[in-house]
Amino acid sequence: MTMIAVAASQNQHKIDEMEAITEKFGMKIVGRDDFGLPKIKIEEDGETFEANSLKKASEICMLCNQITIADDSGLVVDALDGAPGVYSSRFAGEEGNDKKNNAKLLELLKDVPMEKRTARFVSVITMVYPNGTKIVARGECEGHILFEESGENGFGYDPLFRPLGYAVSFGEIPPEEKNKISHRAKALEELQRQLEQLH
Amino acid sequence: MTMIAVAASQNQHKIDEMEAITEKFGMKIVGRDDFGLPKIKIEEDGETFEANSLKKASEICMLCNQITIADDSGLVVDALDGAPGVYSSRFAGEEGNDKKNNAKLLELLKDVPMEKRTARFVSVITMVYPNGTKIVARGECEGHILFEESGENGFGYDPLFRPLGYAVSFGEIPPEEKNKISHRAKALEELQRQLEQLH
């Protein structure tokens, strides 16, 4: 099945990963900017990844009348009772960035020993069709938060996150490898399994 | 929201767990036998948990014309390239049982050291509405396969599965605790998050 989907995201890192992962199952992702949509900001005010993901996909689907795919994702840290969670991208405030977010995370965890630094990356991928069909797929990747940033690959909290079974961070793992094991890869594979059944 | 759903399962262990977990979010699960459906056997011939879960929920939904919930679940062992997977309940053949399945798993893994005995329990919960709406939610629980059975709680491969972060098997963990961390709990929580958004 070849399927074209408009990505609700404006984060080029996310779009690149979604393209690389979905290429394997014959899906073609088109950025919403490439599709020529006006640059609107969708407020991500949901309390869950599912709420934000569905909101983004639904709003963009209404605007473009095409099958739309959205990713809402973040880092869930056990020692912080699940924070930063849905606030991952604005953990250090609306004017923050990856560097400030990572610094805040390290500061909050500075007295937490490695065995209690368990965390997971979560991605909720939602696909919304113009006819109202909604598909929701969640993927998780378990791991630990390191004591300092390591590696230049990936984005967001990747340099601080060491996935289970690896000795290095997502910042040090090549993109091809990350795209096999990441939360986003797992969510997109789950989406694909659901699509195979629904069509 | 209070919701009544007919369970496609005839496995009382599964129904009990689904009831205990969904009670927290106001869902009432009714067994299909309690609903008075004829005792038909649904062939689980799909290649994925998603396929089998959706098939079970869809067929029972057509029969009873009620919102129907199905669980397809199993154990995915890395050292066995994902086996027993969708064949978990009939790993030792159609005439097998938990005891024979567990014995076969131990035999196949007898030369595999603990660090390579990684595995995960997977549950795919599907909810199908008479109007055609379908919700699919996957939950996973990471862990290791022990060298011998331990504990009397749970069912299936539980006595052989030690979840991540625990020193004992699912067979030794009290049901209330298993129902907080299990693959089935995670899938039902994800279902609930999706329901909150879709309604």
Side-chain angles (χ1 to χ4, degrees):
Chain A
M1 180 188 56
T2 302
M3 170 180 250
I4 298 170
V6 175
S9 183
Q10 289 182 303
N11 178 331
Q12 195 58 46
H13 292 293
K14 279 193 189 179
I15 296 175
D16 288 347
E17 287 193 4
M18 288 166 80
E19 279 185 340
I21 296 163
T22 57
E23 199 177 25
K24 298 168 207 157
F25 30 85
M27 192 182 291
K28 172 71 189 147
I29 306 280
V30 180
R32 69 189 241 205
D33 292 342
D34 295 335
F35 195 77
L37 289 187
K39 286 191 188 292
I40 57 157
K41 180 161 171 56
I42 299 172
E43 204 185 345
E44 302 183 17
D45 51 3
E47 284 174 20
T48 62
F49 297 113
E50 284 75 8
N52 286 327
S53 184
L54 197 57
K55 184 177 183 190
K56 286 187 273 189
S58 300
E59 296 203 3
I60 297 300
C61 181
M62 277 198 294
L63 277 177
C64 69
N65 206 35
Q66 298 284 333
I67 295 175
T68 301
I69 188 168
D71 162 280
D72 198 61
S73 46
L75 183 66
V76 173
V77 179
D78 292 322
L80 302 177
D81 294 324
V86 291
Y87 303 102
S88 290
S89 65
R90 45 199 154 134
F91 195 33
E94 291 293 340
E95 301 301 312
N97 54 33
D98 289 353
K99 200 176 167 62
K100 287 180 187 170
N101 288 338
N102 284 342
K104 179 170 177 183
L105 182 60
L106 284 179
E107 174 62 22
L108 287 173
L109 293 177
K110 69 179 192 299
D111 296 324
V112 180
M114 186 49 91
E115 69 269 20
K116 294 195 173 162
R117 297 171 79 92
T118 53
R120 62 206 57 81
F121 265 126
V122 176
S123 162
V124 174
I125 299 279
T126 302
M127 189 168 256
V128 175
Y129 290 51
N131 74 1
T133 298
K134 296 176 182 70
I135 306 173
V136 184
R138 175 183 268 241
E140 300 191 357
C141 182
E142 298 279 341
H144 287 83
I145 304 300
L146 300 175
F147 284 95
E148 57 182 33
E149 292 190 41
S150 179
E152 304 293 328
N153 293 330
F155 63 103
Y157 298 94
D158 282 355
L160 286 180
F161 183 82
R162 186 184 68 200
L164 209 66
Y166 285 74
V168 295
S169 79
F170 262 166
E172 296 167 278
I173 292 173
E176 316 83 73
E177 183 75 12
K178 182 190 169 193
N179 286 339
K180 282 182 192 157
I181 63 164
S182 76
H183 50 310
R184 195 162 288 116
K186 287 183 182 172
L188 286 164
E189 287 160 7
E190 166 65 4
L191 176 80
Q192 176 62 6
R193 282 188 293 265
Q194 293 192 31
L195 282 171
E196 281 171 8
Q197 294 316 311
L198 292 170
H199 283 284
Chain B
M1 182 186 59
T2 301
M3 170 180 249
I4 297 170
V6 175
S9 184
Q10 289 181 302
N11 179 331
Q12 196 58 46
H13 293 293
K14 277 192 190 181
I15 296 174
D16 289 347
E17 287 193 4
M18 287 165 79
E19 278 184 341
I21 296 163
T22 58
E23 199 177 25
K24 296 167 212 159
F25 30 84
M27 193 183 292
K28 171 73 189 147
I29 305 281
V30 181
R32 67 188 243 205
D33 292 343
D34 295 335
F35 195 77
L37 288 187
K39 286 191 189 292
I40 57 158
K41 179 162 171 55
I42 298 173
E43 204 186 343
E44 302 183 18
D45 51 4
E47 285 173 19
T48 61
F49 297 112
E50 284 76 8
N52 287 327
S53 185
L54 198 56
K55 185 178 182 186
K56 286 187 275 191
S58 300
E59 295 202 4
I60 296 301
C61 181
M62 277 198 296
L63 278 174
C64 68
N65 206 34
Q66 298 282 334
I67 295 174
T68 300
I69 188 168
D71 162 280
D72 197 62
S73 47
L75 182 66
V76 173
V77 179
D78 292 321
L80 302 178
D81 294 325
V86 292
Y87 303 102
S88 291
S89 64
R90 46 199 154 131
F91 195 33
E94 291 293 342
E95 300 303 312
N97 54 33
D98 288 354
K99 200 174 167 65
K100 288 179 186 170
N101 288 338
N102 283 343
K104 179 171 177 183
L105 181 61
L106 284 178
E107 174 63 22
L108 287 173
L109 293 178
K110 69 179 190 300
D111 297 324
V112 179
M114 186 50 89
E115 69 270 20
K116 294 194 174 163
R117 296 170 80 92
T118 52
R120 63 206 56 80
F121 265 126
V122 177
S123 162
V124 174
I125 299 279
T126 301
M127 189 166 256
V128 174
Y129 290 52
N131 74 0
T133 298
K134 295 175 181 71
I135 306 173
V136 184
R138 173 182 270 240
E140 301 191 357
C141 182
E142 299 280 340
H144 288 84
I145 305 299
L146 299 174
F147 284 96
E148 57 182 33
E149 292 187 42
S150 179
E152 304 292 329
N153 293 332
F155 64 102
Y157 298 95
D158 282 355
L160 288 179
F161 184 82
R162 186 185 67 201
L164 209 67
Y166 285 74
V168 295
S169 80
F170 262 165
E172 296 166 278
I173 293 172
E176 316 82 74
E177 182 74 13
K178 183 190 169 193
N179 285 339
K180 283 182 193 157
I181 64 163
S182 76
H183 50 309
R184 194 162 288 116
K186 288 183 184 175
L188 286 164
E189 286 160 8
E190 165 63 6
L191 176 79
Q192 176 62 5
R193 281 188 293 266
Q194 294 192 31
L195 282 171
E196 280 171 8
Q197 293 319 309
L198 292 169
H199 282 282

